[in-house]
Amino acid sequence: MQFELSDTPTIKRRLTAMIYEGVLLFGILAIADLLFALIFQQRHALYLRHAAQYWLFIVIGAYFIWFWMHSGQTLPMKTWRMRLVTLDDRQLSFKHALARYFLAWLWFVPGLAIAWVLDAKEWSAIAIVLANILAWVLTARLHPSRQFLHDRIAGTKIIQLNKAK
């Protein structure tokens, strides 16, 4: 099956692919966490908690960076016919993929930091993080090509692939 390039996928389409990505990542992280627990004989969730978090951060990074560099697509991106490329429509280098991975955390980290500084609890902390996510989505609405802010900073873009006729 051949594909031809098209415009930027809709924000709704990209957000739907992100939900699918989250479902896949849940399984990947469950296996990675189990491996960590078995290797380090973790019998309590708080034992080596920070090391486990770093490990999962690295696993997520390896997953995305590998797929972005090799095909420009994770499985959800293939399913939704999207590809990640540089601004000049080339395959991502390690530098571009790594930059995009770290910048993509801006979807959550500022909201989490604000919630922590304000000592927000329960629903107010969730509301702050959701406001951060909404603000990030709005950055795409304000841009002419509808690319998210982390893509613009990293020098990447998501393109829609249409089935060739």
Side-chain angles (χ1 to χ4, degrees):
M1 181 181 307
Q2 292 183 338
F3 291 98
E4 58 185 36
L5 300 181
S6 180
D7 294 328
T8 304
T10 64
I11 293 173
K12 180 180 176 183
R13 187 177 191 89
R14 285 180 282 161
L15 292 175
T16 304
M18 286 181 194
I19 292 169
Y20 183 7
E21 200 77 68
V23 171
L24 287 180
L25 279 175
F26 182 80
I28 291 167
L29 293 179
I31 292 168
D33 196 38
L34 175 64
L35 286 173
F36 182 90
L38 291 173
I39 290 168
F40 293 102
Q41 299 180 2
Q42 187 183 26
R43 306 223 191 287
H44 189 281
L46 295 178
Y47 176 68
L48 297 175
R49 178 179 69 164
H50 296 303
Q53 290 170 341
Y54 294 136
W55 163 246
L56 295 178
F57 181 78
I58 290 167
V59 167
I60 294 170
Y63 167 81
F64 282 114
I65 290 168
W66 191 87
F67 279 107
W68 292 340
M69 286 177 55
H70 287 85
S71 66
Q73 299 174 292
T74 59
L75 179 60
M77 293 170 78
K78 286 180 184 180
T79 303
W80 288 92
R81 295 190 321 272
M82 294 184 281
R83 179 172 287 140
L84 181 64
V85 295
T86 62
L87 293 177
D88 56 356
D89 295 323
R90 293 186 178 173
Q91 192 167 318
L92 265 64
S93 66
F94 178 74
K95 182 181 96 173
H96 280 104
L98 185 65
R100 187 178 195 267
Y101 174 67
F102 281 112
L103 289 167
W105 283 97
L106 294 175
W107 278 82
F108 308 100
V109 173
L112 291 170
I114 292 168
W116 180 73
V117 166
L118 296 177
D119 196 29
K121 303 289 185 219
E122 299 170 1
W123 287 107
S124 59
I126 293 169
I128 291 168
V129 173
L130 289 176
N132 185 105
I133 292 169
L134 180 61
W136 203 259
V137 171
L138 289 176
T139 66
R141 296 282 302 162
L142 299 174
H143 193 266
S145 69
R146 300 287 194 243
Q147 294 294 336
F148 289 119
L149 185 57
H150 64 280
D151 280 314
R152 295 193 314 257
I153 296 170
T156 60
K157 64 181 179 179
I158 298 278
I159 56 173
Q160 181 68 48
L161 302 172
N162 291 328
K163 289 182 184 176
K165 296 178 180 177

